[in-house]
Amino acid sequence: MDSQAKAKQWDENAFFANHSSMREPVPGTVARDAPDAPAPQPKVITAALLERGRTEFNVFCSPCHGQSGDGRGMIVQRGFPAPPPLWLPRLEQATAGYIYDVITNGHGVMYSYADRVKSADRWAVIAYVRALQQSQDAKPADLPAEDRALLEAAR
């Protein structure tokens, strides 16, 4: 397999009229690694958006940030530097645009997730992170009666 006939990208090739091995893409071709078009920030946070954010967070974020956002995910438990808990005041006060930028471009030891998490899903993750942040100060008395009953039954 190592010594088979093949053309390299800059080789001359008599088969084609321009004698080049490199070909122009077929009109209408979309690059596989084309960046995702930026999605606008949603105006309304729905249950479906939060559920999508939870799913994406658990897949891409929880390995480092932990499922509760405490910064003690599986990767951290194996020696990777711990991210800060997501409910720190500076992160609670950060704008959604800032968090979107961190997911897109990375920050500190966190690398970019632009090629892993679609633009619209980044907004969903941010909505879910905001829900995680609010849940840290939640008291059982703040819950609806039916949720309090479920909580008591689980104890």
Side-chain angles (χ1 to χ4, degrees):
M1 302 250 325
D2 223 21
S3 62
Q4 64 184 335
K6 59 187 168 197
K8 294 188 180 172
Q9 57 198 20
W10 293 103
D11 287 349
E12 187 171 319
N13 189 333
F15 182 78
F16 297 107
N18 67 357
H19 297 280
S20 175
S21 290
M22 292 192 299
R23 312 302 321 144
E24 289 293 322
V26 175
T29 300
V30 177
R32 290 184 71 197
D33 60 353
D36 189 27
Q41 183 175 359
K43 303 271 188 241
V44 177
I45 296 181
T46 63
L49 183 73
L50 283 173
E51 181 59 29
R52 181 68 184 167
R54 183 182 70 82
T55 300
E56 294 292 301
F57 181 90
N58 286 338
V59 170
F60 296 105
C61 309
S62 70
C64 293
H65 289 280
Q67 287 192 329
S68 68
D70 62 3
R72 294 183 288 192
M74 179 190 315
I75 303 301
V76 173
Q77 294 172 26
R78 287 168 173 73
F80 197 78
L86 295 175
W87 53 80
L88 287 180
R90 72 176 172 86
L91 295 176
E92 286 181 335
Q93 294 165 5
T95 65
Y98 171 80
I99 298 171
Y100 183 92
D101 184 66
V102 169
I103 296 169
T104 304
N105 300 308
H107 181 77
V109 297
M110 178 178 156
Y111 52 85
S112 167
Y113 278 81
D115 62 341
R116 294 168 185 83
V117 180
K118 293 179 182 176
S119 181
D121 289 342
R122 287 177 228 156
W123 293 117
V125 167
I126 294 164
Y128 182 70
V129 165
R130 293 301 197 207
L132 282 177
Q133 289 170 334
Q134 288 183 353
S135 74
Q136 296 308 306
D137 296 327
K139 295 168 185 54
D142 298 337
L143 296 171
E146 59 273 8
D147 290 338
R148 276 196 313 271
L150 288 172
L151 183 62
E152 291 299 322
R155 289 185 184 184

